[in-house]
Amino acid sequence: MTKLRLAIVGAGPAGIYAADILLKAERAFDVSIDLFEQLPAPYGLVRYGVAPDHPRIKGVVSALRDVLDRGDIRLFGNVRFGVDITLDDLKKHYNAVIFSTGAIRDTELAIPGIEAQSSFGAADFVSWFDGHPDVARTWPLDAESVAVIGNGNVALDVARILAKHAEDLLPTEIPDNVHAGLVASEIRDVHVFGRRGPAQVKFTPLELRELGELRDVDMVVYDEDFDYDEASLAAIASNKQVKVIDRILQEWRTRPGVNNAGGEASRRLHMHFWAKPVEVKKDADGRVAAIVYERTRPDGEGGVAGTGELREVPIQQLYRAVGYFGSPLPGVPFDDRHGVIPNQEGQVLHPDSNEIVPGVYATGWIKRGPVGLIGHTKSDAMETVRHLINGQGSWWQPEDPSDEAVPALLAERGVRWTDLDGWHRLDEHEVSLGAAQERARIKVVPRDEMVAISRGE
């Protein structure tokens, strides 16, 4: 029987789901899958892209763990594609590769002053508070008033972590260095800006509701933002999710602190709708000093139009959360405009000719861009895997498809890779660190320490 030797680059949900779907699919050949991950630990953005106070993510992690723990997928962690192993290497040892490397950079926001000191991308801040091994251990939280630009779930995650009291994060798996940084935070006001209205936001009701449950944080909304047009009223009436969001916001309007009247909490989280950022003002030292936004209005066609009215809010830090963006991979076609690997239903395309590149596939955010939730990732992977199975005639013919070839290659190059047993060791170590303090876990942050624990060194 023919055997498919498959490499998957990226051990987040997209890569793990693709492996699981292929192993369970009807097919006329055997399958052997090796999963490559640049970090020492698997799970991608589930581990390093979601705020630690989201307990529902534990269910996703549990499902991913079940797939890996079956033992029919090999994991090579701490292996950097393009450095430790290349596309040419994969062609020598596999029949095909699926890239599931996600999107971890911030989308740019082209407004004057965005390059000011203390102006950050949300992705970098998320990586910091999630204990990513490749970012700085400290974060400057020396501002009293900060702005978050965006009306999606990432923007609300960032705003929530900035406004939340550090001790309320202790039951989570927050790293020690992050907790220490948040304890020292000087933040008193967090302003969230979105250019559309309350009925057009991109976040989910659960994310919004969690904001309103923060201890010692006043929610501030503004009556002028709730003068709904016909399109907004229709959306509220016809869409259950929009209706719940409106209900939450309307409840906030009844609380102390609405319209900046001021409640009794030590911190405030302001929601600004119909607010399009147009400039970041800087002080004499080049630091963020204020954000200027234009009031917008509905354009009658589902979009927004500017009103010409400019307003200014003094701030000392800014976080842009307007979307993630993919990164190019050595030797792999890349669409610089959209931040994805060009593809047709997961089949990678030559950028010039649009012809299918044999043996090369994509799934997840690097395939379709950073949109959708976990459910979309599964359907995404099914589409890609279907083409992989049907494309048997275009698979690579490797020189050495043996199971021993890749471990020998990595060892020859001095790569200190981690495997599934190593992840179990690191996982158990982090849980034991947390148990000593009655916490869920305490993440190990330094890469070298993660690798040493995983390898039993």
Side-chain angles (χ1 to χ4, degrees), residues 125-376:
F125 182 59
V126 172
S127 292
W128 174 74
F129 68 59
D130 272 330
H132 195 293
D134 297 337
V135 300
R137 301 291 179 267
T138 59
W139 192 274
L141 294 171
D142 53 353
E144 288 193 4
S145 182
V146 304
V148 180
I149 299 175
N151 261 176
N153 283 342
V154 174
L156 293 198
D157 268 359
V158 169
R160 192 179 65 258
I161 296 297
L162 289 170
K164 197 167 187 172
H165 291 277
E167 58 266 33
D168 294 336
L169 286 163
L170 278 177
T172 73
E173 56 186 46
I174 185 173
D176 284 339
N177 65 296
V178 176
H179 176 255
L182 293 172
V183 166
S185 171
E186 299 177 13
I187 291 173
R188 295 294 174 265
D189 287 273
V190 178
H191 297 266
V192 181
F193 295 91
R195 63 189 181 90
R196 297 178 184 272
Q200 290 81 36
V201 295
K202 298 297 184 183
F203 44 71
T204 57
L206 179 60
E207 292 278 348
L208 186 65
R209 187 178 291 113
E210 287 175 343
L211 280 186
E213 295 170 352
L214 296 181
R215 181 183 63 84
D216 191 34
V217 178
D218 278 334
M219 298 306 304
V220 182
V221 290
Y222 300 87
D223 285 342
E224 64 177 345
D225 290 338
F226 294 89
D227 184 14
Y228 288 141
D229 67 330
E230 290 185 8
S232 295
L233 292 172
I236 293 168
S238 62
N239 186 301
K240 183 178 180 180
Q241 180 164 298
V242 177
K243 183 180 297 184
V244 174
I245 287 172
D246 178 62
R247 187 184 307 140
I248 295 168
L249 293 171
Q250 296 295 347
E251 189 274 324
W252 290 357
R253 294 178 70 185
T254 68
R255 295 185 183 183
V258 71
N259 292 312
N260 249 1
E264 298 179 356
S266 67
R267 296 179 180 179
R268 297 187 296 181
L269 203 159
H270 309 250
M271 301 293 292
H272 301 269
F273 300 102
W274 306 112
K276 177 185 176 182
V278 294
E279 182 184 0
V280 179
K281 289 193 172 181
K282 295 180 276 190
D283 64 16
D285 297 321
R287 291 175 56 94
V288 170
I291 183 170
V292 179
Y293 69 91
E294 180 184 13
R295 283 287 292 178
T296 59
R297 58 172 177 78
D299 64 1
E301 299 178 358
V304 297
T307 65
E309 179 188 352
L310 299 180
R311 298 182 183 179
E312 184 174 314
V313 177
I315 57 170
Q316 299 85 48
Q317 274 191 352
L318 179 143
Y319 297 81
R320 68 181 190 278
V322 293
Y324 286 148
F325 203 77
S327 300
L329 299 161
V332 182
F334 190 71
D335 181 341
D336 290 301
R337 181 181 176 188
H338 298 101
V340 298
I341 296 174
N343 70 92
Q344 180 181 329
E345 297 185 341
Q347 303 168 100
V348 174
L349 304 175
H350 285 287
D352 300 327
S353 64
N354 275 343
E355 294 180 355
I356 292 173
V357 179
V360 185
Y361 300 84
T363 192
W365 281 3
I366 198 65
K367 167 188 173 182
R368 60 184 160 86
V371 293
L373 304 173
I374 294 294
H376 296 92

Side-chain angles (χ1 to χ4, degrees), residues 429-457:
H429 179 80
E430 292 183 339
V431 171
S432 68
L433 289 177
Q437 299 183 30
E438 299 183 346
R439 294 167 58 184
R441 79 167 61 226
I442 298 176
K443 279 184 182 175
V444 175
V445 179
R447 181 185 282 262
D448 288 347
E449 188 177 343
M450 293 175 70
V451 171
I453 294 168
S454 297
R455 292 173 63 90
E457 298 174 351

Side-chain angles (χ1 to χ4, degrees), residues 366-395:
I366 198 65
K367 167 188 173 182
R368 60 184 160 86
V371 293
L373 304 173
I374 294 294
H376 296 92
T377 301
K378 287 184 178 180
S379 58
D380 221 22
M382 291 179 68
E383 181 180 70
T384 297
V385 167
R386 183 177 72 250
H387 284 293
L388 170 65
I389 292 173
N390 294 336
Q392 185 171 348
S394 63
W395 292 351

